[in-house]
Amino acid sequence: MPEKTSHKSDIEIAQESKMLPISHIAGLLGIDEEDWEPYGRYKAKLSLDLFQKLETKQEGTVVLVTSINPTPAGEGKSTVTVGLGQAFNRIGKQTIVALREPSLGPSMGIKGGAAGGGYSQVMPMEEINLHFTGDIHAITTANNALAALIDNHIHQGNALHIDPRKIVWKRALDMNDRALRRIVVGLGGPLQGVPREDGFDITVASEIMAIFCLAVSVKDLKSRLSKMVVAYDYSDSPVTAGDLGAEGALTLLLKDALMPNLVQTLENTPAIIHGGPFANIAHGCNSIIATKLASKLSDIVVTESGFGADLGAEKFLNIKARYGGIKPGAVVVVATVRALKMHGGVPKDELSVLDLPALKRGMPNLAKHLDTLKQFGVPAVVAVNRFVNDDQAEVDYILEWCKSEGVQAAEADVWADGGAGGEELARTVLNVMESEDNNYKPLYELDMPLDEKIKTICQRVYGAEDVQFSPKAIKQIEQFTSLGWGNLPVCMAKTQYSLSDDPKKLGRPEKFIVAIRELRASVGAGFIVALTGDVMTMPGLPKRPAAMDMDVTEEGKAAGLF
Amino acid sequence: MPEKTSHKSDIEIAQESKMLPISHIAGLLGIDEEDWEPYGRYKAKLSLDLFQKLETKQEGTVVLVTSINPTPAGEGKSTVTVGLGQAFNRIGKQTIVALREPSLGPSMGIKGGAAGGGYSQVMPMEEINLHFTGDIHAITTANNALAALIDNHIHQGNALHIDPRKIVWKRALDMNDRALRRIVVGLGGPLQGVPREDGFDITVASEIMAIFCLAVSVKDLKSRLSKMVVAYDYSDSPVTAGDLGAEGALTLLLKDALMPNLVQTLENTPAIIHGGPFANIAHGCNSIIATKLASKLSDIVVTESGFGADLGAEKFLNIKARYGGIKPGAVVVVATVRALKMHGGVPKDELSVLDLPALKRGMPNLAKHLDTLKQFGVPAVVAVNRFVNDDQAEVDYILEWCKSEGVQAAEADVWADGGAGGEELARTVLNVMESEDNNYKPLYELDMPLDEKIKTICQRVYGAEDVQFSPKAIKQIEQFTSLGWGNLPVCMAKTQYSLSDDPKKLGRPEKFIVAIRELRASVGAGFIVALTGDVMTMPGLPKRPAAMDMDVTEEGKAAGLF
């Protein structure tokens, strides 16, 4: 086990690091000066013209990082993604890390950025965690421009006969603000619009964010924006953004944001950070444009998806990869001693105590995720992400277990050691990609009926015995199918803590039935959301928000962010 | 009269122009590479460290551009500001144009940017009119972070005893959205916050925007943010952002935005565009930081203020110049044949018809503004901003009138001819600054009581006979004075179309009484707003919003914006 070289905080490590000018990083990737634009000294936006210029260049391999069902603190998936990218570069493979953009709102609530950790971070982490290059602000603006156009349409005569009780488009802010979850707008008399119930979602839950991440071009973006269903009219027919003539303006508002953002890791590995949709009501992956462009610019792209493999990897493999024409080379499943012990029944505050029997009891959770990836036909590697208090016997147990199961695995110590701590993992991934067959294909065909798609995911990915549809869901499946949306993929909204829809069922639950409460149509994004319970699309702030500690130092530096 | 050289649209002229790389513009101003950061190829943010580096450098002269009471279409103040800056550079005076940042929301409603026009525009105009460098988005975010902290504070136990009926802080969006004017938030039961009445303002109406433009440093910004009154408690004592501990987080959210934005005009004159508060409930000027920095970097700074001289120039001279320690060298009053004829009683659709008697009847409006500037002790120049349909006899009449009044004046043909069309004006301004005494001082001292300050402005600037305070206003003056806010300057919210508070009283109304309906305390910004009528702080969209025409062309260019 490598010695822990540091107990510095993320921001201390970040502020001590030496970034290269972004022109240097762009140069490393062979990008001409005309094909990127600087945003400050250490951020750049990449031109979409690069796709045409690189048309004949072979695409590099996409490696997806996912995890077992996580603890509330997370398994360090972003940290492993960054560290693995750094490791590949160290062993001579030109590699780009492709991550999601962090949402600013939540950082007002709970400390902790979303830019990796320790010696595996992307930089400049303060800016990435604050406004970055403004992409999320552009999405907020587009979301709310559409909302204003809807209410204005009704106020100005309602030629489309929109039923104000059936507006499904919500307003959005990149903020944790529970008071905006349920509101009434349009009060104050005939000059102030038409009163109706409404609500705000956090911006990353906006369908526009999902579209932003699934569009393959500006043209595709506009076409998807046009298809978004914003309301139903008095005859229950859907009204789209296109019906309102809004898609041109929304595309204009998003045009510059659609250019992927180039930054670097602590070890100067190029990183592209672009888009970041929710992993429950959306698919939880960075943009297709960023992933594809990264694959054109490097041998290997290391990217991640949200939550555990039952949600994130499933959606990556069934939705993103399908729409993007991406064939992943391998999937890395991040496991931690702590999370496996939790699945073995250990309470949260005792996870640091050596407990091999509990660890053993937790292994079926990992086993199920590996089984799922086998069904997708994609080679898998287990990464044991090392935490400071892990006992070597525990780490060894997981590695031995993998060996006995015929699954390749490696320890990752990237938090403490950066890329050096991920070299063994990187070599293992390369080895797996060379030695194992890759028969990746989505788990279902698009012409499968919606209820069958949902059953397929619940039974084959979650291990459920059956699925129970509420009367509302049954009606919606009929309605959506008759509207021609039956051939869309399904996006499951489920707890990330369990393979089942009950967050308390840890390990590998069996004989459970998944209850589908309700469906939502994200026709522009191109999926039907199936909700298994309440999904919070606008978080709240805690009793003592992290904002209380934020500040700017006398020297003008960010403080209290992480 | 110079021939009109073009009837091209603003966007056509802009897209045909040749911009220099922003590094070149920064170089022209002698700014070291370490003191600016690129945002794309043609925008940069300037470091506030420049103030220290340029501490011993003498400040250039600030020339303020204002106007008579405008027509609804405006008198081309921004166009004259840009054209005059270009003209100064043509005659050998190193000059920077300092403008306000356009708000994105209104451009969804009515076509027309805010970046000058014709051959006197700032560039890149599409980006400036869309998200620019994200400053307004940062202000929106800070505004709404504070709102979320207020509601969260109440939800989490309300230790400060905030009365939910007396929250004066509103949420904000950079959008024209009438449905958000009056809303109810916090609905849905005990987990969703505390229900209360609320509303959204357009972001430029946020007190944070006013503070952003009046702060002289990051430290001052934080101190002003801390003083903002957000609510009153159950004992009617004010509750501030500082009481909530929010000022550090808000400062962090605004830190990068506070760096002024460097761009260029069509003739490559440097332009600094930064901040843009409302000209009614706020002071309507670009940031002090931008104006001061521009004056450190050039011989002359040409800047503008909102609406006519009764509002914009008055606030520049009584509020901005006072807080910024700025001594303006001269004030240019933009007058147009059209507006003067309107003041002479000509209806809106007949303004293109030659009508010298009407023009003559309209002159007292100009005369009053010149009288006001005399009271401030600052030299004034009249600029007759040429429109395509103006008759030469009309232009000559105005110039003759000025001569007979002993006021220097020049024609400006900057829309059609750019800087060349403003050279005579530039020479006239230089001449006035050399030949006339400058005894600038604010119209009132800060220790004057609030009601006296209001009377001073109404009588000496508007020409009112008297002021009538509503019972509410009288009570508020007492309350604000007892809270220690009596020594703040006053910010008048009044119609821009008339010298009086009645938009229908054109020309130079007399014997009118200004009714003060209500006051608002912008303690962070550092002024007390006096409202003379309803002020719309959240505009609405028209029946056919301009957004309907917006698009991105096949080649990826902005379309339909202007």
Side-chain angles (χ1 to χ4, degrees), chain A residues 33-34 36 38 40-41 131 137 141 152 156 171 177-179 181-187 191-192 222 244 248 253 541-543 548 550-551, chain B residues 33-34 36 38 40-41 131 137 141 152 156 171 177-179 181-187 191-192 222 244 248 253 541-543 548 550-551:
Chain A
E33 214 165 308
E34 63 184 40
W36 61 274
R41 294 191 188 89
H131 307 288
H137 292 322
T141 305
N152 187 59
Q156 304 280 3
R171 288 175 164 87
D177 193 347
R178 72 169 64 71
R181 281 175 194 156
R182 287 213 200 165
I183 66 175
V184 173
V185 300
L187 299 173
L191 296 179
Q192 329 290 349
K222 188 167 148 187
L244 286 160
L253 288 168
L541 292 170
K543 179 133 190 158
M548 304 292 96
M550 292 183 184
D551 209 347
Chain B
E33 214 164 309
E34 63 185 39
W36 62 274
R41 294 193 186 88
H131 307 288
H137 292 322
T141 305
N152 187 58
Q156 303 280 3
R171 289 175 164 87
D177 194 346
R178 72 169 65 71
R181 282 175 194 155
R182 288 213 200 165
I183 65 176
V184 172
V185 300
L187 299 173
L191 294 179
Q192 329 290 349
K222 188 168 148 186
L244 286 160
L253 288 168
L541 292 170
K543 179 132 189 157
M548 304 291 95
M550 292 183 184
D551 208 347

Coordinates of all heavy atoms in Angstrom, one line a residue, chain A residues 33-34 36 38 40-41 131 137 141 152 156 171 177-179 181-187 191-192 222 244 248 253 541-543 548 550-551, chain B residues 33-34 36 38 40-41 131 137 141 152 156 171 177-179 181-187 191-192 222 244 248 253 541-543 548 550-551:
Chain A
E33 N -5.1 27.0 -33.4 CA -5.5 28.2 -32.7 C -6.9 28.6 -33.1 O -7.7 29.1 -32.3 CB -4.5 29.3 -32.8 CG -4.4 30.1 -31.6 CD -3.1 31.0 -31.6 OE1 -2.0 30.5 -31.9 OE2 -3.3 32.2 -31.4
E34 N -7.2 28.5 -34.3 CA -8.6 29.0 -34.8 C -9.7 28.1 -34.3 O -10.9 28.5 -34.4 CB -8.6 29.0 -36.3 CG -8.4 27.6 -37.0 CD -8.4 27.7 -38.5 OE1 -7.7 28.6 -39.0 OE2 -9.0 26.8 -39.1
W36 N -10.1 26.9 -31.1 CA -10.5 27.1 -29.7 C -10.4 28.5 -29.3 O -9.8 29.3 -29.9 CB -9.5 26.3 -28.8 CG -8.1 26.7 -28.8 CD1 -7.1 26.3 -29.7 CD2 -7.4 27.6 -27.9 NE1 -5.9 26.8 -29.4 CE2 -6.1 27.7 -28.4 CE3 -7.8 28.4 -26.8 CZ2 -5.1 28.5 -27.7 CZ3 -6.9 29.2 -26.2 CH2 -5.5 29.2 -26.6
P38 N -10.1 31.1 -25.9 CA -9.8 31.2 -24.4 C -10.9 31.7 -23.6 O -11.6 32.6 -24.1 CB -8.6 32.1 -24.4 CG -8.8 33.0 -25.6 CD -9.4 32.2 -26.6
G40 N -10.5 33.1 -20.0 CA -9.4 33.2 -19.0 C -8.2 32.4 -19.5 O -8.1 32.0 -20.7
R41 N -7.2 32.2 -18.6 CA -6.0 31.6 -19.1 C -6.0 30.1 -19.0 O -5.1 29.5 -19.6 CB -4.8 32.1 -18.1 CG -4.6 33.6 -18.3 CD -3.3 34.0 -17.6 NE -3.3 35.5 -17.6 CZ -3.8 36.2 -16.7 NH1 -4.4 35.7 -15.6 NH2 -3.7 37.5 -16.8
H131 N -19.0 29.8 -11.7 CA -19.7 30.0 -12.9 C -19.1 29.3 -14.1 O -19.8 29.2 -15.2 CB -19.8 31.5 -13.2 CG -20.3 32.3 -12.1 ND1 -21.7 32.3 -11.7 CD2 -19.7 33.2 -11.2 CE1 -21.8 33.1 -10.7 NE2 -20.7 33.7 -10.4
H137 N -25.6 28.7 -16.9 CA -26.4 30.0 -16.9 C -27.1 30.1 -18.3 O -28.3 30.6 -18.3 CB -25.5 31.2 -16.7 CG -24.9 31.3 -15.3 ND1 -25.7 30.9 -14.2 CD2 -23.7 31.7 -14.9 CE1 -24.9 31.1 -13.1 NE2 -23.7 31.6 -13.5
T141 N -31.2 30.3 -18.7 CA -31.8 31.4 -19.5 C -32.7 30.9 -20.6 O -33.9 31.3 -20.8 CB -30.7 32.3 -20.1 OG1 -29.8 32.8 -19.1 CG2 -31.3 33.5 -20.8
N152 N -46.7 34.1 -21.7 CA -47.0 35.3 -22.6 C -48.0 34.9 -23.7 O -48.9 35.6 -24.0 CB -45.7 35.9 -23.2 CG -46.0 37.1 -24.0 OD1 -46.5 38.1 -23.4 ND2 -45.8 37.2 -25.3
Q156 N -51.6 36.6 -24.1 CA -51.9 37.4 -25.3 C -53.0 36.8 -26.1 O -53.1 37.1 -27.3 CB -50.6 37.5 -26.1 CG -49.4 38.1 -25.4 CD -49.4 39.6 -25.3 OE1 -50.4 40.3 -25.8 NE2 -48.4 40.2 -24.7
R171 N -40.1 26.4 -14.6 CA -39.0 27.4 -14.6 C -37.8 26.7 -13.9 O -37.9 25.7 -13.3 CB -39.4 28.7 -14.0 CG -40.4 29.4 -14.9 CD -41.0 30.7 -14.2 NE -41.6 31.6 -15.2 CZ -42.8 31.5 -15.6 NH1 -43.6 30.6 -15.1 NH2 -43.3 32.4 -16.5
D177 N -33.3 25.8 -3.6 CA -34.3 26.8 -3.1 C -35.7 26.1 -3.0 O -36.5 26.2 -3.9 CB -34.3 28.0 -4.1 CG -35.0 29.2 -3.5 OD1 -35.7 29.0 -2.5 OD2 -34.9 30.3 -4.1
R178 N -35.9 25.6 -1.8 CA -37.1 24.8 -1.7 C -38.4 25.6 -1.8 O -39.4 25.1 -2.2 CB -37.1 24.0 -0.3 CG -37.3 24.9 0.9 CD -37.6 24.1 2.2 NE -36.4 23.2 2.5 CZ -35.3 23.7 3.0 NH1 -35.1 25.0 3.1 NH2 -34.3 22.9 3.3
A179 N -38.3 26.9 -1.4 CA -39.5 27.8 -1.5 C -40.0 27.9 -2.9 O -41.2 28.4 -3.1 CB -39.2 29.2 -0.9
R181 N -40.3 25.4 -5.0 CA -40.8 24.1 -5.5 C -42.2 24.2 -6.0 O -42.6 23.7 -7.1 CB -40.7 23.0 -4.4 CG -39.3 22.5 -4.2 CD -39.3 21.5 -3.0 NE -37.9 21.3 -2.6 CZ -37.5 20.9 -1.4 NH1 -38.5 20.7 -0.5 NH2 -36.3 20.7 -1.1
R182 N -43.0 24.8 -5.2 CA -44.4 24.9 -5.6 C -44.8 26.4 -5.4 O -44.8 26.9 -4.3 CB -45.3 24.0 -4.7 CG -45.2 22.6 -5.0 CD -46.5 21.9 -4.8 NE -46.3 20.5 -4.6 CZ -47.2 19.7 -4.2 NH1 -48.4 20.1 -3.7 NH2 -46.9 18.4 -4.1
I183 N -45.2 27.0 -6.5 CA -45.6 28.4 -6.4 C -46.8 28.7 -7.2 O -47.3 27.8 -7.9 CB -44.4 29.3 -6.9 CG1 -44.2 29.1 -8.4 CG2 -43.1 29.0 -6.1 CD1 -43.1 30.0 -9.0
V184 N -47.4 29.8 -7.0 CA -48.5 30.3 -7.9 C -47.9 31.6 -8.6 O -47.4 32.5 -7.9 CB -49.7 30.6 -7.1 CG1 -50.8 31.2 -8.0 CG2 -50.3 29.3 -6.5
V185 N -48.0 31.6 -9.9 CA -47.6 32.8 -10.7 C -48.7 33.5 -11.3 O -49.9 33.0 -11.3 CB -46.6 32.4 -11.8 CG1 -45.4 31.6 -11.2 CG2 -47.3 31.5 -12.8
G186 N -48.5 34.7 -11.8 CA -49.5 35.4 -12.6 C -50.5 36.1 -11.8 O -51.6 36.4 -12.2
L187 N -50.2 36.3 -10.5 CA -51.2 37.0 -9.6 C -51.1 38.5 -9.9 O -50.2 39.0 -10.5 CB -50.8 36.7 -8.1 CG -50.9 35.2 -7.7 CD1 -50.3 35.0 -6.3 CD2 -52.3 34.7 -7.9
L191 N -53.3 42.6 -15.8 CA -52.1 43.1 -16.5 C -50.9 42.2 -16.1 O -49.8 42.4 -16.7 CB -51.8 44.5 -16.1 CG -52.8 45.5 -16.6 CD1 -52.4 46.9 -16.1 CD2 -52.9 45.5 -18.1
Q192 N -51.0 41.3 -15.2 CA -49.9 40.5 -14.7 C -49.9 39.1 -15.1 O -49.3 38.2 -14.5 CB -49.8 40.6 -13.2 CG -50.3 41.9 -12.6 CD -49.4 43.1 -12.8 OE1 -48.3 43.0 -13.4 NE2 -49.9 44.3 -12.5
K222 N -31.4 22.0 -32.2 CA -32.6 22.8 -32.5 C -33.8 21.9 -32.7 O -34.9 22.2 -32.3 CB -32.3 23.6 -33.7 CG -33.4 24.6 -34.1 CD -32.8 25.6 -35.1 CE -33.9 26.1 -36.1 NZ -33.4 26.9 -37.2
L244 N -44.7 26.9 -30.3 CA -44.6 28.3 -29.9 C -43.6 29.1 -30.7 O -43.4 30.3 -30.5 CB -44.2 28.3 -28.4 CG -45.2 28.0 -27.4 CD1 -44.6 27.5 -26.1 CD2 -46.2 29.1 -27.2
G248 N -35.7 28.5 -32.3 CA -34.6 29.3 -32.9 C -34.0 30.2 -31.8 O -32.7 30.2 -31.6
L253 N -29.6 31.1 -27.8 CA -29.1 31.2 -26.4 C -28.1 30.2 -26.0 O -27.3 30.4 -25.1 CB -30.3 31.2 -25.5 CG -31.2 32.4 -25.5 CD1 -32.5 32.2 -24.7 CD2 -30.5 33.7 -24.9
L541 N -31.8 24.0 1.1 CA -30.5 24.2 1.8 C -30.6 23.6 3.2 O -31.7 23.6 3.8 CB -30.3 25.8 1.9 CG -30.0 26.5 0.6 CD1 -30.0 28.0 0.8 CD2 -28.6 26.1 0.1
P542 N -29.5 23.2 3.8 CA -29.5 22.7 5.1 C -29.6 23.8 6.2 O -29.5 25.0 5.8 CB -28.2 22.0 5.2 CG -27.3 22.7 4.3 CD -28.2 23.2 3.2
K543 N -29.7 23.5 7.4 CA -29.8 24.4 8.5 C -28.7 25.4 8.5 O -28.9 26.6 8.7 CB -29.9 23.7 9.9 CG -30.0 24.7 11.0 CD -31.0 24.3 12.0 CE -31.3 25.4 13.0 NZ -32.6 25.3 13.7
M548 N -22.4 30.1 4.2 CA -22.0 30.9 5.4 C -20.5 30.9 5.5 O -19.9 31.9 6.1 CB -22.5 30.2 6.7 CG -24.0 30.1 6.8 SD -24.9 31.6 6.9 CE -25.4 31.9 5.2
M550 N -18.4 30.7 2.8 CA -17.7 31.2 1.6 C -17.3 32.7 1.7 O -17.9 33.5 2.4 CB -18.7 31.1 0.4 CG -19.1 29.7 0.0 SD -20.1 29.7 -1.4 CE -20.5 27.9 -1.5
D551 N -16.2 33.0 1.1 CA -15.7 34.3 1.2 C -14.6 34.5 0.1 O -14.2 33.6 -0.6 CB -15.1 34.5 2.6 CG -15.1 36.0 3.0 OD1 -15.4 36.9 2.2 OD2 -14.9 36.2 4.2
Chain B
E33 N 0.2 41.7 -20.2 CA -0.6 40.4 -20.4 C -1.1 39.9 -19.1 O -2.2 39.2 -19.1 CB 0.3 39.4 -21.1 CG -0.4 38.5 -22.1 CD 0.5 37.8 -23.0 OE1 1.3 38.5 -23.7 OE2 0.3 36.6 -23.1
E34 N -0.4 40.0 -18.0 CA -0.8 39.5 -16.7 C -2.0 40.2 -16.2 O -2.6 39.7 -15.2 CB 0.3 39.5 -15.7 CG 0.8 40.9 -15.4 CD 2.0 40.9 -14.4 OE1 2.9 40.1 -14.6 OE2 2.0 41.8 -13.5
W36 N -4.8 41.1 -17.9 CA -6.1 40.9 -18.5 C -6.3 39.4 -18.9 O -5.3 38.7 -19.0 CB -6.3 41.8 -19.8 CG -5.3 41.5 -20.9 CD1 -4.1 42.1 -21.0 CD2 -5.4 40.6 -22.0 NE1 -3.4 41.6 -22.1 CE2 -4.3 40.7 -22.8 CE3 -6.5 39.8 -22.4 CZ2 -4.1 39.9 -23.9 CZ3 -6.3 39.0 -23.6 CH2 -5.1 39.1 -24.3
P38 N -8.4 36.8 -21.4 CA -9.3 36.7 -22.6 C -10.6 36.0 -22.3 O -10.6 35.0 -21.5 CB -8.4 35.9 -23.6 CG -7.6 35.0 -22.8 CD -7.3 35.8 -21.5
G40 N -12.9 34.5 -25.1 CA -13.0 34.5 -26.5 C -11.9 35.4 -27.1 O -11.0 35.8 -26.4
R41 N -12.0 35.6 -28.4 CA -10.9 36.3 -29.1 C -11.0 37.8 -29.0 O -10.1 38.6 -29.2 CB -10.8 35.9 -30.5 CG -10.4 34.5 -30.7 CD -10.0 34.2 -32.1 NE -9.8 32.7 -32.2 CZ -10.8 31.9 -32.4 NH1 -12.1 32.3 -32.7 NH2 -10.6 30.6 -32.4
H131 N -25.0 36.6 -23.8 CA -24.5 36.4 -22.5 C -23.3 37.2 -22.1 O -22.9 37.3 -21.0 CB -24.2 34.9 -22.3 CG -25.3 34.0 -22.7 ND1 -26.4 33.8 -21.9 CD2 -25.5 33.1 -23.7 CE1 -27.3 33.0 -22.5 NE2 -26.7 32.5 -23.6
H137 N -25.4 37.2 -15.4 CA -25.8 35.9 -14.8 C -25.2 35.8 -13.4 O -25.9 35.2 -12.5 CB -25.2 34.8 -15.7 CG -25.9 34.7 -17.0 ND1 -27.3 34.9 -17.2 CD2 -25.4 34.4 -18.3 CE1 -27.6 34.7 -18.5 NE2 -26.5 34.4 -19.2
T141 N -27.4 35.2 -10.0 CA -27.2 34.1 -9.1 C -27.0 34.6 -7.7 O -27.5 34.0 -6.8 CB -25.9 33.3 -9.6 OG1 -26.0 32.9 -10.9 CG2 -25.6 32.1 -8.7
N152 N -34.7 30.0 3.5 CA -34.2 28.9 4.3 C -34.1 29.2 5.7 O -34.4 28.4 6.6 CB -32.8 28.5 3.7 CG -32.3 27.2 4.3 OD1 -33.0 26.2 4.3 ND2 -31.1 27.3 5.0
Q156 N -35.9 27.2 8.6 CA -35.1 26.4 9.6 C -35.2 27.0 11.0 O -34.3 26.7 11.9 CB -33.6 26.5 9.2 CG -33.3 25.9 7.8 CD -33.3 24.4 7.7 OE1 -33.5 23.7 8.7 NE2 -33.0 23.9 6.5
R171 N -36.7 38.0 -5.8 CA -35.9 37.2 -6.6 C -35.7 37.9 -8.0 O -36.4 38.9 -8.2 CB -36.5 35.8 -6.8 CG -36.4 35.0 -5.5 CD -37.1 33.7 -5.5 NE -36.7 32.8 -4.5 CZ -37.2 32.7 -3.3 NH1 -38.2 33.5 -2.9 NH2 -36.7 31.9 -2.3
D177 N -40.8 38.8 -18.0 CA -41.7 37.7 -17.6 C -42.7 38.2 -16.6 O -42.5 38.1 -15.4 CB -40.8 36.6 -17.0 CG -41.6 35.3 -16.9 OD1 -42.9 35.3 -17.0 OD2 -41.0 34.2 -16.7
R178 N -43.8 38.7 -17.2 CA -44.8 39.3 -16.3 C -45.4 38.4 -15.3 O -45.9 38.8 -14.3 CB -45.9 40.0 -17.2 CG -46.9 39.1 -17.9 CD -48.1 39.8 -18.5 NE -47.7 40.8 -19.5 CZ -47.2 40.4 -20.7 NH1 -47.1 39.1 -21.0 NH2 -46.9 41.3 -21.6
A179 N -45.5 37.1 -15.7 CA -46.1 36.1 -14.8 C -45.4 36.0 -13.5 O -45.9 35.4 -12.5 CB -46.3 34.8 -15.5
R181 N -44.2 38.6 -11.8 CA -44.3 39.9 -11.0 C -44.8 39.7 -9.6 O -44.3 40.2 -8.6 CB -45.2 40.9 -11.7 CG -44.5 41.5 -12.9 CD -45.5 42.4 -13.7 NE -44.9 42.8 -14.9 CZ -45.6 43.2 -16.0 NH1 -47.0 43.2 -15.9 NH2 -45.1 43.5 -17.1
R182 N -45.9 38.9 -9.5 CA -46.5 38.7 -8.2 C -46.8 37.2 -8.1 O -47.5 36.6 -8.9 CB -47.8 39.4 -8.1 CG -47.6 40.9 -7.9 CD -48.7 41.4 -7.0 NE -48.8 42.9 -7.2 CZ -49.9 43.6 -6.8 NH1 -50.9 43.0 -6.2 NH2 -49.9 44.9 -7.0
I183 N -46.1 36.6 -7.2 CA -46.3 35.1 -7.0 C -46.4 34.8 -5.5 O -46.2 35.6 -4.7 CB -45.0 34.4 -7.6 CG1 -43.8 34.7 -6.8 CG2 -44.8 34.7 -9.1 CD1 -42.5 33.9 -7.3
V184 N -46.8 33.5 -5.3 CA -46.8 33.0 -3.9 C -45.8 31.8 -3.9 O -45.9 31.0 -4.8 CB -48.2 32.6 -3.5 CG1 -48.1 31.9 -2.1 CG2 -49.1 33.8 -3.4
V185 N -44.8 31.9 -3.0 CA -43.9 30.8 -2.9 C -44.1 30.0 -1.7 O -44.9 30.3 -0.8 CB -42.4 31.4 -2.9 CG1 -42.1 32.2 -4.2 CG2 -42.1 32.2 -1.7
G186 N -43.3 28.9 -1.6 CA -43.3 28.1 -0.3 C -44.6 27.2 -0.1 O -44.9 26.8 1.0
L187 N -45.4 27.0 -1.2 CA -46.6 26.2 -1.1 C -46.2 24.7 -1.0 O -45.1 24.3 -1.3 CB -47.5 26.4 -2.3 CG -48.0 27.9 -2.4 CD1 -48.7 28.1 -3.7 CD2 -48.8 28.2 -1.2
L191 N -42.7 20.7 4.3 CA -41.3 20.4 3.8 C -40.9 21.3 2.7 O -39.8 21.3 2.3 CB -41.3 18.9 3.3 CG -41.5 17.8 4.3 CD1 -41.5 16.5 3.7 CD2 -40.4 17.9 5.4
Q192 N -41.8 22.2 2.3 CA -41.5 23.0 1.1 C -41.4 24.5 1.5 O -41.5 25.3 0.6 CB -42.6 22.9 0.0 CG -43.3 21.5 0.0 CD -42.4 20.4 -0.5 OE1 -41.3 20.6 -1.1 NE2 -42.9 19.2 -0.4
K222 N -18.2 44.0 -0.8 CA -18.6 43.1 0.3 C -19.3 43.9 1.4 O -20.3 43.5 1.9 CB -17.4 42.4 0.8 CG -17.7 41.3 1.8 CD -16.5 40.5 2.1 CE -16.4 39.9 3.5 NZ -15.1 39.2 3.7
L244 N -27.6 37.8 7.9 CA -27.8 36.4 7.5 C -26.4 35.7 7.2 O -26.3 34.6 6.8 CB -28.6 36.3 6.2 CG -30.1 36.5 6.3 CD1 -30.7 37.0 5.0 CD2 -30.8 35.3 6.9
G248 N -20.2 37.1 2.3 CA -19.0 36.4 1.8 C -19.3 35.6 0.5 O -18.6 35.7 -0.5
L253 N -19.4 35.0 -5.4 CA -20.2 34.8 -6.7 C -19.9 36.0 -7.7 O -20.1 35.8 -8.9 CB -21.7 34.7 -6.4 CG -22.1 33.4 -5.7 CD1 -23.6 33.5 -5.2 CD2 -22.0 32.2 -6.7
L541 N -43.5 40.6 -22.1 CA -43.2 40.4 -23.6 C -44.4 40.9 -24.4 O -45.6 40.8 -23.9 CB -43.0 38.9 -23.9 CG -41.8 38.2 -23.3 CD1 -41.8 36.7 -23.5 CD2 -40.5 38.8 -24.0
P542 N -44.2 41.4 -25.6 CA -45.3 41.8 -26.4 C -46.0 40.7 -27.1 O -45.6 39.5 -27.0 CB -44.6 42.7 -27.5 CG -43.2 42.1 -27.6 CD -42.9 41.6 -26.2
K543 N -47.1 41.0 -27.8 CA -47.9 39.9 -28.4 C -47.0 39.0 -29.4 O -47.1 37.8 -29.4 CB -49.0 40.6 -29.3 CG -49.9 39.6 -30.0 CD -51.3 39.8 -29.8 CE -52.1 38.7 -30.4 NZ -53.5 38.6 -29.8
M548 N -39.3 35.2 -31.5 CA -39.8 34.4 -32.7 C -38.9 34.5 -33.9 O -38.9 33.6 -34.7 CB -41.2 35.0 -33.1 CG -42.3 35.0 -32.0 SD -42.8 33.4 -31.5 CE -41.8 33.1 -30.0
M550 N -35.6 35.0 -33.7 CA -34.2 34.7 -33.4 C -33.8 33.3 -34.0 O -34.7 32.4 -33.9 CB -33.9 34.7 -31.9 CG -34.0 36.1 -31.4 SD -33.6 36.1 -29.6 CE -33.9 37.8 -29.3
D551 N -32.6 33.1 -34.4 CA -32.2 31.8 -34.9 C -30.7 31.8 -35.0 O -30.0 32.7 -34.8 CB -32.9 31.6 -36.3 CG -33.1 30.2 -36.6 OD1 -32.6 29.3 -35.9 OD2 -33.8 29.9 -37.5

